[in-house]
Amino acid sequence: MMLTCKETTRLVSQGLDRELAFGERVALRVHLAICIGCRRTRRQMMFLRRAMRELVEIDLKAS
Amino acid sequence: MPPATDIRAQIEALRPYLLRFASLQLRDAAAAEDAVQEALLAALAGEASFAGRANLRTWLTGILKHKIVDAIRRQAREPLLPQESEDAPDDFDALFERNGHWSERPARWGNPDGALEQAQFFRALEACLERLPARTAQAFMLREHLGLETSEICKELEITPTHCWVMLYRARMTLRDCLQQTWFGK
């Protein structure tokens, strides 16, 4: 199964919310290996998760 | 175990943090205040159950999360939030070509964790969160701020898992794009 970038970004997002099936993980890995745009999207979504964890802390320090 | 008055003072000192925690999710000062109040009452009533636990803030935050979910459940009964259509037109058509590939590839963010040291970055993030549609923001915050599992979010918001994943995907794509425009692309 060849994923498009649009499908890949959806799966990357779902991977943060549920366990992906084996076939999904393989397809994702194949696509990410060749697509820098989707690799960046993945990194940025993971960064977003880290940033959300800090959000409640940092604002108090600043104010 | 420290004397009870000591714990009361410590609990009171954590109120600003708890208020901020609740406000981020509920987006309503009065509702956040209520949730914190309920959580503190519950905590004081159950003081004994804190004995031996390592972290007071973690314990209180855990109680507060339940009160926040209760508040959301109450909100859900009053249809304040407009229902966003499940088959809303896909907002990301501009990002992708007809064949599903990037029309414009996302830019590199370099070392984004550096942004986590800057208070201003979090202002930008909050501004982006405020621009999300209400229900999308609610689902996203339940997931990434409260740390609920998708199954719990579905139950509380009375939506299907698929709808939930679509909303979380939309939130992430929109926030990614917003941060690119207001922070990383500057």
Side-chain angles (χ1 to χ4, degrees):
Chain A
M1 178 176 76
M2 281 299 285
L3 297 173
T4 67
C5 298
K6 196 171 183 171
E7 290 164 339
T8 301
T9 58
R10 278 200 203 115
L11 266 191
V12 164
S13 176
Q14 287 186 28
L16 295 170
D17 302 319
R18 67 173 173 92
E19 176 112 28
L20 298 180
F22 177 73
E24 291 174 321
R25 290 204 302 274
V26 172
L28 198 55
R29 204 171 302 163
V30 168
H31 184 101
L32 289 175
I34 55 161
C35 180
I36 189 169
C38 288
R39 282 203 299 278
R40 283 178 185 161
T41 303
R42 179 166 170 274
R43 273 202 297 272
Q44 292 168 6
M45 284 184 179
M46 287 161 71
F47 164 75
L48 200 54
R49 172 161 286 182
R50 290 199 297 283
M52 288 303 296
R53 287 205 191 116
E54 298 292 323
L55 181 60
V56 68
E57 312 284 351
I58 299 273
D59 203 79
L60 279 177
K61 281 182 213 154
S63 57
Chain B
M1 187 182 157
T5 48
D6 204 38
I7 287 202
R8 272 164 205 265
Q10 286 179 44
I11 287 178
E12 210 41 53
L14 284 167
R15 187 189 279 271
Y17 168 82
L18 297 171
L19 260 180
R20 161 121 181 105
F21 189 94
S23 303
L24 277 173
Q25 177 72 56
L26 292 171
R27 286 183 164 189
D28 177 303
E33 189 83 51
D34 288 349
V36 170
Q37 198 57 35
E38 286 173 32
L40 292 185
L41 285 174
L44 290 169
E47 246 170 48
S49 66
F50 178 68
R53 284 178 208 239
N55 190 316
L56 184 64
R57 197 180 84 166
T58 309
W59 179 62
L60 287 175
T61 308
I63 298 173
L64 179 59
K65 280 184 190 176
H66 286 106
K67 301 299 176 191
I68 291 174
V69 171
D70 288 347
I72 288 172
R73 218 174 280 150
R74 285 197 298 268
Q75 279 177 354
R77 277 192 229 115
E78 313 154 24
L80 293 174
L81 297 180
Q83 289 283 334
E84 283 136 37
S85 167
E86 212 163 324
D87 43 38
D90 200 326
D91 334 31
F92 306 113
D93 279 348
L95 282 181
F96 299 101
E97 303 282 359
R98 206 176 264 275
N99 65 11
H101 289 279
W102 294 106
S103 53
E104 196 188 331
R105 188 192 284 162
R108 198 168 165 271
W109 281 2
N111 171 28
D113 285 332
L116 298 181
E117 303 301 324
Q118 291 170 264
Q120 266 193 313
F121 166 75
F122 290 92
R123 302 257 178 274
L125 175 57
E126 275 198 73
C128 288
L129 286 166
E130 274 159 29
R131 279 156 65 174
L132 289 178
R135 277 176 61 84
T136 305
Q138 191 174 56
F140 181 74
M141 295 303 282
L142 282 171
R143 180 77 186 111
E144 302 290 2
H145 177 52
L146 256 61
L148 261 54
E149 294 298 327
T150 327
S151 57
E152 299 171 279
I153 300 174
C154 297
K155 201 180 85 196
E156 297 307 334
L157 301 184
E158 296 178 355
I159 54 178
T160 63
T162 307
H163 187 192
C164 195
W165 292 322
V166 169
M167 288 213 289
L168 293 171
Y169 171 68
R170 284 195 186 139
R172 292 185 180 115
M173 292 294 276
T174 308
L175 290 170
R176 199 210 65 77
D177 188 53
C178 181
L179 286 176
Q180 168 64 31
Q181 286 178 36
T182 62
W183 186 265
F184 289 104
K186 291 217 161 174

